[in-house]
Amino acid sequence: MADRILVTGGTGYIGSHTVVELQNAGYEVIIVDNLSNSGAGVLDNIEKITGIRPVFRKIDCCDYEALAAIFGKYKGIKAIIHFAASKAVGESVEKPLMYYRNNLVSLINLLELMPQFGIGGFVFSSSCTVYGQPDQLPVSESAPVKPAESPYGNTKQVNEEIIQDTVASGANIRSVILRYFNPIGAHPSTEIGELPNGVPQNLVPYITQTAIGIREQLSVFGADYDTPDGSCIRDFINVVDLAKAHVAAIERILQSGQKSPVEVFNIGTGRGLSVLELINTFEKVTGVKLNYRVTDRRAGDIVKVWADPQLANNELGWKAKESIEDTLMSAWNWQVKISKKQE
Ligand code: NAD
Ligand code: WQD
């Protein structure tokens, strides 16, 4: 019988791509999502790609009783992948309590319920935001965690600590914490991708929306940084590659391959690309000219960060494979498709 995996936030951007990879790898998936930042239509699209419709329950992870009922109904869940969270940095500054409540209570509920239902595996979505501006690049997992720039970033740091403390207290839980760098792109089928709510805060959706004419102009937030072309540098990771890292993490937990009960892995390509380099590559692969101009710096931006992914490469047996060209093309194909649908 297929191993049963519960995916919170499974109709969201990274969650939906991960559900596809889990199903392709033979796992049975149960999705829990409150649809606060996604739609149930994603389930049809997952089914189109994999031929399998995952079980879906519209539940808020802050609702302890509702989660308990799910664990009671779907017995034998082997592990949880916890994506469900609020993730907009700017919004978290305006509504810190909403972010602390959603991102902390959800995690606490899951960790409290897991031992009661004999669920031992836990994969958590963390972020390179925990490193702030690293002193050394590429940044490895042993680099210090820096004071968070936003309540959102702080929730990721505190979440990591909650997991560490819970496991250290003797709870029968094994966990893999994945620190994602900058996830971009869409599934090559164009059935699933990122659906930003309102004006995109992240670079690639802003680029694709500008290229298609939804936004007039992209602002490049600063070209006077201490980098070769003056713009900020990031490690852009293809979302399907990222999804596959979760399957590798689940396999490591289920096959008892962990070297310690909580392991932390960087999930990035190991390559830094500047904002201007990304724009140039986008124009080259799509043939679309982008209307952009350099504006003031954005408050709180990290100047440069990219991953040392060696630990994930060696221990998880995972490596980023997709090229930046194919990844940007997938983001563009997705934008074209969703814009046609909205016409
Ligand atoms: P997303 O918003 O597309 O997906 C999150 C999903 O969780 C949504 O479907 C939303 O409806 C759901 N959700 C939110 N709160 C919930 C709750 N209380 N109960 C049930 N469902 C809830 O975001 P994403 O980009 O797919 O991010 C997934 C995870 O990865 C998040 O934890 C995010 O913080 C983390 N992460 C994202 C990025 C990024 O750049 N996208 C980078 C690093 C880490
Ligand atoms: C990338 C670069 C911008 C938009 C954020 C979160 C982080 C993580 C990923 C979850 C920066 C520049 C952007 C625009 C621009 N999320 N930019 N014009 O800031 O690296 O990280 O998302 O954990 O926590 O902080 O990603 O896509 O917002 O920006 O010039 O319109 O693009 O200044 O240099 P960031 P981003």
Side-chain angles (χ1 to χ4, degrees):
M1 217 177 74
D3 282 331
R4 204 169 243 188
I5 309 294
L6 185 111
V7 180
T8 76
T11 46
Y13 173 44
I14 305 168
S16 58
H17 289 80
T18 301
V19 170
V20 165
E21 296 307 319
L22 285 168
Q23 293 191 157
N24 283 344
Y27 291 99
E28 183 195 338
V29 176
I30 296 160
I31 296 178
V32 164
D33 199 301
N34 65 0
L35 303 181
S36 58
N37 199 34
S38 56
V42 169
L43 300 166
D44 296 335
N45 302 333
I46 292 173
E47 189 177 357
K48 275 186 206 152
I49 301 172
T50 63
I52 302 162
R53 193 173 186 83
V55 173
F56 170 72
R57 289 291 173 272
K58 183 171 183 285
I59 279 174
D60 194 314
C61 294
C62 293
D63 184 341
Y64 185 90
E65 300 302 330
L67 276 182
I70 286 290
F71 293 155
K73 184 172 160 76
Y74 297 97
K75 299 221 163 39
I77 293 168
K78 288 273 169 46
I80 295 174
I81 308 182
H82 182 40
F83 293 104
S86 305
K87 65 158 183 178
V89 175
E91 187 184 46
S92 80
V93 177
E94 285 154 28
K95 300 175 185 165
L97 294 179
M98 180 189 135
Y99 271 67
Y100 285 117
R101 182 185 295 278
N102 200 33
N103 295 4
L104 300 191
V105 175
S106 294
L107 176 73
I108 293 168
N109 282 347
L110 290 167
L111 294 177
E112 265 184 2
L113 285 163
M114 284 174 64
Q116 294 177 37
F117 290 87
I119 305 172
F122 193 74
V123 178
F124 179 67
S125 302
S126 190
S127 166
C128 68
T129 191
V130 302
Y131 297 121
Q133 177 60 66
D135 302 323
Q136 277 185 342
L137 288 166
V139 62
S140 73
E141 292 82 353
S142 57
V145 165
K146 296 271 178 78
E149 292 279 348
S150 68
Y152 165 75
N154 203 27
T155 69
K156 290 295 169 193
Q157 297 189 3
V158 176
N159 279 340
E160 287 199 11
E161 288 169 5
I162 291 173
I163 294 166
Q164 296 277 8
D165 290 347
T166 305
V167 174
S169 75
N172 192 13
I173 293 174
R174 284 146 295 131
S175 179
V176 169
I177 294 173
L178 301 178
R179 291 180 178 159
Y180 315 157
F181 283 66
N182 288 60
I184 62 165
H187 195 268
S189 64
T190 65
E191 293 296 345
I192 52 173
E194 193 170 6
L195 284 169
N197 211 345
V199 182
Q201 305 300 307
N202 294 116
L203 178 62
V204 169
Y206 209 105
I207 289 178
T208 58
Q209 289 197 6
T210 306
I212 208 140
I214 300 172
R215 312 275 155 214
E216 201 188 325
Q217 190 174 53
L218 169 78
S219 298
V220 172
F221 298 136
D224 56 353
Y225 285 105
D226 180 22
T227 60
D229 66 20
S231 64
C232 293
I233 297 177
R234 296 289 183 272
D235 185 334
F236 297 98
I237 171 82
N238 178 287
V239 68
V240 176
D241 276 338
L242 172 59
K244 288 177 178 165
H246 295 79
V247 179
I250 286 289
E251 277 164 7
R252 188 169 173 90
I253 291 173
L254 297 189
Q255 290 161 12
S256 306
Q258 289 183 277
K259 290 192 171 152
S260 62
V262 182
E263 293 180 315
V264 180
F265 296 106
N266 281 345
I267 304 297
T269 66
R271 180 179 169 212
L273 206 69
S274 78
V275 172
L276 289 171
E277 282 175 321
L278 188 91
I279 292 171
N280 287 338
T281 311
F282 177 85
E283 290 187 327
K284 202 169 73 204
V285 296
T286 62
V288 181
K289 190 95 195 82
L290 193 71
N291 182 20
Y292 71 89
R293 79 186 166 98
V294 174
T295 61
D296 288 346
R297 294 177 175 192
R298 181 172 74 175
D301 260 337
I302 300 303
V303 180
K304 45 189 167 181
V305 60
W306 63 94
D308 176 350
Q310 272 189 55
L311 198 64
N313 298 165
N314 297 338
E315 294 295 325
L316 280 183
W318 169 92
K319 202 173 185 331
K321 292 211 171 81
E322 300 299 331
S323 68
I324 188 68
E325 286 82 5
D326 287 350
T327 303
L328 288 172
M329 201 61 209
S330 74
W332 177 236
N333 289 338
W334 169 247
Q335 182 67 63
V336 170
K337 171 154 179 182
I338 56 175
S339 298
K340 270 195 192 132
K341 267 194 177 165
Q342 283 155 4
E343 268 171 15

